[in-house]
Amino acid sequence: TKTSGEFTRGDCDNSGTYTNTWTATDGCNNTSLVFTQVITIEDTQVPVWSTAASSLNVTLQCSDASGLAAAQSQAPVATDNCGGVIT
């Protein structure tokens, strides 16, 4: 008989553990000791940039205050294999 474990969150959103347990019972209702399985989930891959290199580079005139403000407001975008919040 399997008892499924709940996900226990680790240090980040996508890491943690599941702990499942089993017992075996024979036809005479003799029950085994508990067998425990621990599934550990890790996120060890770094985020990658999805914004192309140099795509945010601009050349402006020194008097182009609005262009400078627009360039300063841009930011590259990164993705991660496990999703979650990327800062």
Side-chain angles (χ1 to χ4, degrees):
T1 304
K2 177 182 179 181
T3 302
S4 295
E6 296 289 323
F7 179 70
T8 302
R9 187 177 177 275
D11 293 337
C12 65
D13 291 341
N14 300 307
S15 69
T17 59
Y18 285 96
T19 302
N20 299 315
T21 59
W22 286 265
T23 55
T25 305
D26 66 16
C28 293
N29 287 324
N30 297 309
T31 303
S32 69
L33 295 174
V34 174
F35 180 92
T36 302
Q37 173 194 36
V38 177
I39 302 169
T40 302
I41 298 119
E42 298 178 329
D43 180 2
T44 59
Q45 292 185 355
V46 300
V48 295
W49 294 112
S50 54
T51 302
S54 75
S55 66
L56 301 181
N57 295 353
V58 297
T59 301
L60 304 168
Q61 289 294 319
C62 60
S63 60
D64 188 356
S66 63
L68 178 58
Q72 290 284 10
S73 69
Q74 296 180 355
V77 175
T79 58
D80 188 58
N81 67 312
C82 291
V85 176
I86 300 173
T87 57

